[in-house]
Amino acid sequence: MKVVVLAGGSGKRLWPVSRELYPKQFMSFDSKSLLQQTVERAEKYAEDIYVVTNDAQYYYVKYQLEGRVNEENILKEPVGRNTAPAIALSCKYIQETAGDGKVLVLPSDHLISDSFFDTIKKAEGCTGGICLFGIKPSYPATGYGYIKAGKELGFGFEIEKFIEKPELELARKLVAEGCLWNSGIFLFDISAMMEEFESNLPELYTYMGSFKELLANYHNVPNISIDRGIIEKVKTASVFLFNGEWKDIGSWQSIYEVYGKDDNNNALRGNVSALDTEDCLIWSEDRLTAALGLKDIIVVSTRDALLVAHMTRAEDVKQLVEELKNKNYVEALQHTTVYRQWGYYTILEKGSMYKVKKLCIFPGNSISHQKHYHRAEHWIIVKGTAKVIKDGQEIFLHENESIYVPKSVTHMIENPGKIELHIIEVQTGEYIEEDDIVRIEGDNPKK
C-alpha cells in the first residue's frame, strides 16, 4: 500500500498561528508537527509515502520531512486547486513511477490513533470501488461532512447519502439518526480511481495523459474537492466505521477540545496567566498574555497578530482572514518567519526606512548572487561560518564579525560549514521590500 499525504491548505481556520504560507499542518502540539506525526504513523505501514503540497509551502515541507520522505516523492502543485486535482496528480505520478496498486490518501492535519490502521487493513480486502472511513460524531459539528450508511456489506457499509457541512439544526438531526462524520480519508486502487476521473471529471481527466502534461496544465484544471468531484458520484463506494481517537484540527474550538485543561476548564499554552477566567482557550506564541474575567473566549497571540473571538464563532475565523486579505494585511499571508530553499529568515523589527532580520542558512546552502538598488545591508555573524562574496572579493566571517554591503554592490552568502549559519541582517534605505533584488546568476532562489 502506498500513502499520499495532502499537505496544502490556505491557513485560514487557525489564524493567526496558521497563515497562507504556514498552514495548520506545520503547527505542533508537542515536539512534532501534525505533518510529521502523519508521516511517522504512515511509514509504519506504507510501502512508499508521497506528499502533495504547493509551490509556496514546498521548502518547509521538505525541511520538516527531511530523512523521512524521498525528495522526488514531494510533489509540488504550481497553484492550489483543491483535493481532486491533488489526488489526480499523485495518482498519475505513482502510476508512472511505481505502477498500479492500492493508495491510501491521508490529510496532514488530523490527530488519529495508530489503531486506525487496523481498520485500514480490513478495508484493504475490499475489491473495486472506493473505501471511505466514517467517524461516530461526538457532537453536531457544522464544519464536517456527514455520511449516511446503508446496509452492511461484510466489509463495511453501503453509502446511502452524503451531506456536506450542514447547518446546526440539520447536524443535530444527522447525529440523532446515526450518521457518520466523513473523515476525508480514502483507500482505492489507482486504476479504479482513474476510471472515476474519466467518468466524473472529464475536464480534469483530459489533461491526465501524463504527469508532466497534468502539471503543465494545472492552472486550467477545475478547483474542486474530491468529495464533490468524485466521491459523491461514485456508485461502488463503501464506508468503514472507525471507533478510535480521531480529530480534524479544523478550528480553534477543536483545539480547545483536545487540549489539556486547568481547574477552570481553560486550555492554556505558552506564557499565559488567567484570573477569574473559565472555559477559554488562551494561546500565546511569544509575549505574556494575561486574561481577567473571561468566559468562552478564544485568545491567540503571536509576534505580529492577536485574535480575540467568542468560542461559538471559531468556524468564522476564515471569514475574518478573507477580510484581512481584502484589506491587504500581510499578516493574513505569512508569519514573521519565512522558509526558503536555503533556510529561513525572521523579521525582528521593521520601520519606514529599516528592517532587521535573523537569517538562518543551512549547511551547504547559499543565498543567490545579487544586488539591491534601494537598500544597504549590514550583516553580523552570531553563529557558524559565512563565506561572503562582496563585489567579487571572497571573505570568511565568524561569530561576532560583521560586514557592510552598500547599495548596488553585488554580494552573496554561503554556509560552507557543518552547522547552521545565523546572521543578523540590518537593512537601511528608502525602499526595503523583498522585490528590490537583481539576480546576477539566477541560480538560487531569492531571499
Side-chain angles (χ1 to χ4, degrees), residues 369-432:
H369 200 184
Q370 58 190 243
K371 64 181 177 181
H372 315 289
Y373 288 130
H374 303 290
R375 73 173 184 253
E377 296 177 339
H378 185 191
W379 298 328
I380 304 165
I381 311 304
V382 294
K383 179 183 177 181
T385 297
K387 176 183 175 182
V388 177
I389 297 178
K390 174 186 171 184
D391 205 16
Q393 181 183 6
E394 184 176 287
I395 306 164
F396 284 89
L397 299 173
H398 304 88
E399 290 90 345
N400 298 319
E401 296 180 334
S402 64
I403 190 169
Y404 175 72
V405 181
K407 298 176 185 177
S408 302
V409 171
T410 60
H411 57 276
M412 70 173 291
I413 316 172
E414 179 184 341
N415 180 358
K418 303 294 185 183
I419 63 173
E420 291 181 351
L421 169 61
H422 292 186
I423 300 171
I424 299 298
E425 176 182 275
V426 181
Q427 302 176 359
T428 56
E430 64 275 13
Y431 185 80
I432 52 172

XYZ file of all heavy atoms in Angstrom, residues 369-432:
531
model
N 23.610 35.175 -5.695
C 24.457 36.310 -6.025
C 23.541 37.426 -6.515
O 22.845 37.274 -7.510
C 25.448 35.898 -7.115
C 26.646 36.780 -7.208
N 27.607 36.620 -8.166
C 27.043 37.847 -6.452
C 28.555 37.538 -8.006
N 28.225 38.282 -6.971
N 23.530 38.571 -5.824
C 22.501 39.576 -6.065
C 22.997 40.967 -5.701
O 24.089 41.144 -5.157
C 21.264 39.237 -5.224
C 21.568 39.162 -3.740
C 20.429 38.599 -2.926
O 19.865 39.297 -2.077
N 20.079 37.336 -3.164
N 22.149 41.955 -6.006
C 22.380 43.320 -5.544
C 21.039 44.017 -5.369
O 20.013 43.553 -5.869
C 23.258 44.106 -6.518
C 22.661 44.326 -7.899
C 23.641 45.102 -8.778
C 23.087 45.264 -10.200
N 24.030 45.998 -11.067
N 21.061 45.129 -4.619
C 19.846 45.897 -4.339
C 20.115 47.360 -4.675
O 21.144 47.916 -4.294
C 19.452 45.765 -2.862
C 19.515 44.361 -2.346
N 18.610 43.395 -2.715
C 20.397 43.752 -1.503
C 18.915 42.258 -2.114
N 20.005 42.445 -1.378
N 19.174 47.995 -5.336
C 19.342 49.395 -5.730
C 18.938 50.377 -4.637
O 19.423 51.511 -4.601
C 18.522 49.696 -6.985
C 19.093 49.073 -8.245
C 18.277 48.340 -9.089
C 20.438 49.220 -8.585
C 18.785 47.760 -10.250
C 20.956 48.652 -9.730
C 20.128 47.915 -10.564
O 20.640 47.352 -11.706
N 18.053 49.948 -3.732
C 17.468 50.915 -2.797
C 17.820 50.664 -1.340
O 17.399 51.420 -0.473
C 15.942 50.919 -2.943
C 15.486 51.227 -4.332
N 15.622 52.472 -4.899
C 14.923 50.434 -5.280
C 15.142 52.451 -6.136
N 14.717 51.220 -6.394
N 18.556 49.599 -1.048
C 18.893 49.344 0.342
C 20.340 48.882 0.482
O 20.896 48.240 -0.404
C 17.959 48.302 0.957
C 18.185 46.876 0.497
C 17.312 45.916 1.316
N 17.540 44.517 1.006
C 16.707 43.746 0.327
N 15.589 44.260 -0.157
N 16.984 42.474 0.122
N 20.918 49.231 1.627
C 22.213 48.694 2.041
C 21.972 47.649 3.112
O 20.917 47.628 3.752
C 23.096 49.813 2.575
N 22.950 46.764 3.320
C 22.801 45.705 4.313
C 24.050 45.595 5.175
O 25.179 45.699 4.674
C 22.521 44.358 3.630
C 21.209 44.333 2.882
C 20.938 43.035 2.136
O 21.912 42.296 1.852
O 19.764 42.764 1.842
N 23.813 45.374 6.453
C 24.891 45.170 7.414
C 24.668 43.805 8.052
O 23.617 43.552 8.641
C 24.866 46.280 8.468
C 26.013 46.222 9.424
N 26.076 46.971 10.576
C 27.167 45.496 9.402
C 27.193 46.708 11.219
N 27.876 45.818 10.527
N 25.625 42.890 7.919
C 25.483 41.523 8.430
C 26.390 41.315 9.642
O 27.587 41.623 9.598
C 25.881 40.492 7.367
C 25.024 40.528 6.137
C 23.700 40.850 6.058
C 25.441 40.227 4.808
N 23.261 40.765 4.760
C 24.311 40.383 3.963
C 26.646 39.836 4.230
C 24.358 40.169 2.590
C 26.706 39.610 2.871
C 25.565 39.775 2.066
N 25.818 40.736 10.691
C 26.574 40.387 11.896
C 26.431 38.880 12.099
O 25.317 38.353 12.206
C 26.036 41.131 13.130
C 26.042 42.636 12.880
C 26.859 40.786 14.370
C 25.219 43.425 13.870
N 27.534 38.167 12.140
C 27.518 36.710 12.308
C 27.367 36.390 13.786
O 28.173 36.839 14.611
C 28.818 36.071 11.760
C 29.140 36.590 10.356
C 28.691 34.542 11.778
C 28.047 36.390 9.347
N 26.351 35.610 14.128
C 26.148 35.236 15.538
C 26.397 33.743 15.777
O 26.561 33.322 16.916
C 24.731 35.620 16.019
C 24.564 37.127 16.025
C 23.647 34.966 15.172
N 26.415 32.939 14.705
C 26.699 31.511 14.853
C 27.158 30.958 13.510
O 26.577 31.257 12.476
C 25.446 30.762 15.317
C 25.632 29.260 15.480
C 24.329 28.591 15.880
C 24.474 27.081 15.979
N 23.190 26.419 16.336
N 28.212 30.141 13.544
C 28.676 29.493 12.327
C 29.707 30.315 11.562
O 30.220 31.324 12.048
N 30.004 29.839 10.355
C 30.983 30.482 9.476
C 30.311 30.887 8.179
O 29.576 30.099 7.578
C 32.157 29.528 9.172
O 32.839 29.222 10.393
C 33.136 30.152 8.189
N 30.571 32.122 7.738
C 29.992 32.641 6.498
C 31.085 32.866 5.468
O 32.134 33.440 5.778
C 29.255 33.941 6.755
N 30.814 32.389 4.253
C 31.661 32.726 3.117
C 30.921 33.803 2.323
O 29.854 33.555 1.767
C 31.910 31.494 2.249
C 32.716 31.779 0.990
C 32.845 30.508 0.150
C 33.551 30.794 -1.167
N 33.640 29.564 -2.011
N 31.471 35.008 2.309
C 30.817 36.146 1.671
C 31.600 36.548 0.429
O 32.834 36.633 0.462
C 30.727 37.342 2.644
C 30.120 38.553 1.943
C 29.917 36.968 3.866
N 30.879 36.761 -0.658
C 31.491 37.349 -1.852
C 30.885 38.731 -2.021
O 29.690 38.880 -2.283
C 31.251 36.489 -3.102
C 31.910 35.123 -2.925
C 31.786 37.190 -4.345
C 31.696 34.174 -4.079
N 31.716 39.768 -1.836
C 31.273 41.156 -1.919
C 32.061 41.860 -3.019
O 33.278 41.977 -2.946
C 31.503 41.850 -0.578
C 31.220 43.348 -0.589
C 31.599 43.989 0.737
C 31.521 45.492 0.670
N 31.976 46.131 1.930
N 31.334 42.241 -4.067
C 31.949 42.936 -5.192
C 33.132 42.150 -5.756
O 34.181 42.712 -6.089
C 32.391 44.334 -4.755
C 32.454 45.314 -5.927
O 31.880 45.006 -6.995
O 33.070 46.376 -5.765
N 32.962 40.804 -5.807
C 33.991 39.936 -6.375
C 35.047 39.473 -5.396
O 35.847 38.590 -5.722
N 35.076 40.026 -4.199
C 36.082 39.654 -3.204
C 35.527 38.596 -2.250
O 34.428 38.746 -1.721
C 36.517 40.889 -2.411
C 37.591 40.590 -1.360
C 37.948 41.815 -0.540
O 37.321 42.861 -0.684
N 38.940 41.689 0.326
N 36.303 37.531 -1.999
C 35.876 36.454 -1.107
C 36.366 36.720 0.311
O 37.551 36.976 0.534
C 36.426 35.121 -1.613
C 35.970 33.915 -0.815
C 36.481 32.610 -1.420
O 35.959 32.212 -2.471
O 37.418 32.022 -0.831
N 35.428 36.647 1.270
C 35.733 36.950 2.669
C 35.086 35.886 3.561
O 33.937 35.499 3.330
C 35.181 38.338 3.070
C 35.693 39.425 2.107
C 35.530 38.684 4.508
C 34.911 40.716 2.183
N 35.814 35.416 4.576
C 35.265 34.494 5.562
C 35.024 35.242 6.869
O 35.885 35.981 7.347
C 36.201 33.308 5.803
C 36.167 32.297 4.696
C 37.012 32.414 3.605
C 35.278 31.233 4.739
C 36.976 31.488 2.567
C 35.230 30.300 3.713
C 36.086 30.426 2.616
N 33.829 35.045 7.433
C 33.461 35.704 8.677
C 33.027 34.668 9.698
O 32.421 33.657 9.342
C 32.313 36.697 8.451
C 32.566 37.851 7.474
C 31.284 38.625 7.241
C 33.652 38.777 8.014
N 33.313 34.948 10.993
C 32.939 34.054 12.075
C 32.142 34.816 13.131
O 31.846 36.003 12.938
C 34.196 33.425 12.681
C 35.042 32.712 11.665
N 36.018 33.355 10.925
C 35.035 31.416 11.240
C 36.586 32.488 10.092
N 36.014 31.310 10.271
N 31.797 34.133 14.240
C 30.977 34.761 15.275
C 31.552 36.113 15.693
O 32.768 36.281 15.829
C 30.884 33.857 16.511
C 30.058 32.598 16.308
C 30.874 31.421 15.821
O 32.017 31.641 15.359
O 30.377 30.280 15.916
N 30.621 37.072 15.869
C 30.933 38.437 16.329
C 31.665 39.280 15.291
O 32.093 40.395 15.605
C 31.745 38.416 17.638
C 30.982 37.763 18.767
O 29.788 37.991 18.917
N 31.662 36.936 19.554
N 31.793 38.783 14.068
C 32.372 39.587 12.993
C 31.246 40.090 12.097
O 30.162 39.500 12.033
C 33.384 38.777 12.189
C 34.582 38.353 13.021
C 35.603 37.551 12.227
O 35.206 36.903 11.231
O 36.783 37.554 12.616
N 31.501 41.190 11.368
C 30.441 41.802 10.574
C 30.995 42.358 9.269
O 32.216 42.499 9.094
C 29.760 42.918 11.365
O 30.671 43.976 11.650
N 30.073 42.706 8.373
C 30.453 43.289 7.089
C 29.307 44.180 6.607
O 28.131 43.903 6.875
C 30.767 42.192 6.050
C 31.403 42.796 4.798
C 29.523 41.390 5.690
C 31.978 41.755 3.852
N 29.658 45.249 5.902
C 28.673 46.200 5.384
C 28.643 46.108 3.861
O 29.699 46.079 3.210
C 29.049 47.615 5.817
C 28.159 48.696 5.240
C 26.846 48.855 5.690
C 28.635 49.561 4.256
C 26.026 49.849 5.168
C 27.818 50.557 3.723
C 26.511 50.689 4.178
O 25.703 51.665 3.658
N 27.439 46.034 3.297
C 27.275 45.954 1.846
C 26.474 47.169 1.386
O 25.266 47.261 1.640
C 26.541 44.660 1.433
C 26.410 44.600 -0.086
C 27.268 43.427 1.957
N 27.091 48.132 0.724
C 26.367 49.331 0.261
C 25.373 49.000 -0.849
O 25.387 47.905 -1.428
C 27.487 50.236 -0.266
C 28.749 49.692 0.308
C 28.526 48.220 0.442
N 24.525 49.955 -1.188
C 23.588 49.810 -2.294
C 24.336 49.537 -3.589
O 25.447 50.050 -3.812
C 22.759 51.094 -2.461
C 21.887 51.450 -1.279
C 21.191 52.792 -1.524
C 20.402 53.230 -0.302
N 19.772 54.557 -0.501
N 23.698 48.691 -4.435
C 24.179 48.396 -5.792
C 25.466 47.590 -5.846
O 26.034 47.402 -6.927
C 24.350 49.689 -6.611
O 23.122 50.392 -6.687
N 25.946 47.097 -4.706
C 27.145 46.255 -4.675
C 26.710 44.786 -4.717
O 25.867 44.353 -3.932
C 27.985 46.526 -3.412
C 29.109 45.498 -3.270
C 28.559 47.934 -3.457
N 27.296 44.016 -5.632
C 26.940 42.603 -5.744
C 27.476 41.824 -4.534
O 28.563 42.119 -4.032
C 27.490 41.986 -7.032
O 28.916 42.093 -7.041
C 26.932 42.704 -8.259
N 26.694 40.818 -4.109
C 27.081 40.067 -2.923
C 26.358 38.729 -2.887
O 25.316 38.556 -3.528
C 26.753 40.854 -1.648
C 25.302 41.220 -1.540
N 24.778 42.343 -2.151
C 24.255 40.617 -0.914
C 23.478 42.420 -1.905
N 23.130 41.382 -1.157
N 26.892 37.805 -2.135
C 26.223 36.541 -1.832
C 26.778 35.995 -0.522
O 27.881 36.381 -0.086
C 26.385 35.512 -2.960
C 27.782 34.943 -3.125
S 27.827 33.591 -4.340
C 26.904 32.325 -3.472
N 26.043 35.106 0.123
C 26.473 34.480 1.372
C 26.320 32.974 1.222
O 25.293 32.492 0.750
C 25.621 34.914 2.574
C 25.360 36.405 2.562
C 26.293 34.498 3.882
C 24.363 36.835 3.626
N 27.327 32.242 1.656
C 27.294 30.783 1.629
C 27.637 30.254 3.010
O 28.435 30.856 3.739
C 28.295 30.257 0.601
C 28.359 28.741 0.507
C 29.431 28.266 -0.458
O 29.868 29.064 -1.306
O 29.836 27.097 -0.349
N 27.011 29.129 3.371
C 27.377 28.440 4.604
C 28.238 27.240 4.240
O 27.717 26.186 3.846
C 26.126 27.992 5.357
C 26.452 27.256 6.659
O 27.623 27.041 6.989
N 25.424 26.862 7.391
N 29.559 27.343 4.374
C 30.438 26.220 3.996
C 30.635 25.223 5.132
O 31.307 24.206 4.951
C 31.756 26.935 3.679
C 31.778 28.093 4.631
C 30.337 28.523 4.804
N 30.054 25.508 6.297
C 30.322 24.698 7.475
C 29.373 23.531 7.670
O 28.582 23.168 6.788
N 29.440 22.943 8.863
C 28.653 21.762 9.205
C 27.466 22.088 10.116
O 26.659 21.218 10.419
C 29.547 20.724 9.923
C 30.769 20.294 9.129
C 30.371 19.529 7.875
C 31.617 18.989 7.155
N 31.270 18.304 5.889
N 27.376 23.329 10.578
C 26.276 23.737 11.437
C 25.534 24.893 10.781
O 26.008 25.494 9.810
C 26.772 24.153 12.844
C 27.694 25.374 12.752
C 27.473 22.988 13.530
C 28.084 25.946 14.113
N 24.356 25.212 11.307
C 23.586 26.321 10.763
C 24.353 27.631 10.909
O 25.066 27.845 11.893
C 22.241 26.433 11.486
C 21.289 25.286 11.199
C 19.960 25.436 11.920
O 19.853 26.346 12.785
O 19.029 24.657 11.623
N 24.193 28.496 9.929
C 24.775 29.832 9.957
C 23.679 30.821 10.320
O 22.675 30.931 9.605
C 25.364 30.173 8.583
C 25.797 31.624 8.342
C 26.889 32.038 9.324
C 26.256 31.810 6.896
N 23.848 31.532 11.447
C 22.873 32.522 11.896
C 23.462 33.921 11.740
O 24.577 34.185 12.193
C 22.487 32.290 13.349
C 21.707 31.038 13.554
N 21.156 30.687 14.768
C 21.342 30.046 12.704
C 20.507 29.535 14.661
N 20.628 29.126 13.419
N 22.707 34.787 11.109
C 23.158 36.148 10.808
C 22.066 37.134 11.206
O 20.884 36.907 10.946
C 23.446 36.304 9.300
C 24.533 35.323 8.847
C 23.837 37.738 8.951
C 24.711 35.271 7.346
N 22.454 38.232 11.818
C 21.549 39.368 11.997
C 21.808 40.324 10.829
O 22.935 40.759 10.609
C 21.780 40.090 13.337
C 21.522 39.140 14.500
C 20.886 41.321 13.424
C 20.101 38.610 14.579
N 20.746 40.603 10.088
C 20.847 41.479 8.917
C 20.069 42.762 9.189
O 18.881 42.715 9.500
C 20.290 40.782 7.686
C 20.264 41.661 6.438
C 19.665 40.949 5.233
O 20.418 40.233 4.550
O 18.444 41.092 5.016
N 20.745 43.896 9.055
C 20.104 45.198 9.206
C 20.045 45.859 7.829
O 21.082 46.138 7.219
C 20.866 46.096 10.199
C 20.147 47.441 10.345
C 20.998 45.409 11.551
N 18.831 46.078 7.338
C 18.633 46.732 6.044
C 18.262 48.194 6.269
O 17.435 48.498 7.132
C 17.505 46.059 5.263
C 17.702 44.580 5.005
C 16.498 43.953 4.310
O 15.505 44.625 4.039
N 16.592 42.662 4.015
N 18.850 49.078 5.499
C 18.511 50.504 5.572
C 18.362 51.053 4.164
O 19.100 50.666 3.252
C 19.593 51.310 6.317
O 20.859 51.095 5.689
C 19.674 50.913 7.779
N 17.398 51.927 3.980
C 17.200 52.524 2.661
C 15.797 53.061 2.494
O 14.927 52.869 3.347
N 15.558 53.701 1.368
C 14.256 54.329 1.119
C 13.193 53.314 0.695
O 11.999 53.595 0.741
C 14.384 55.426 0.051
C 14.790 54.955 -1.344
C 16.308 54.823 -1.531
O 17.036 54.862 -0.521
O 16.748 54.692 -2.692
N 13.630 52.093 0.288
C 12.695 51.036 -0.117
C 13.291 49.705 0.312
O 14.377 49.332 -0.135
C 12.483 51.080 -1.633
C 11.445 50.101 -2.137
C 10.093 50.388 -2.045
C 11.822 48.878 -2.707
C 9.133 49.490 -2.515
C 10.874 47.977 -3.178
C 9.532 48.292 -3.079
O 8.586 47.399 -3.542
N 12.565 48.980 1.170
C 13.154 47.767 1.766
C 12.266 46.545 1.571
O 12.307 45.601 2.360
C 13.424 47.982 3.274
C 12.165 48.505 3.977
C 14.600 48.920 3.494
C 12.288 48.568 5.488
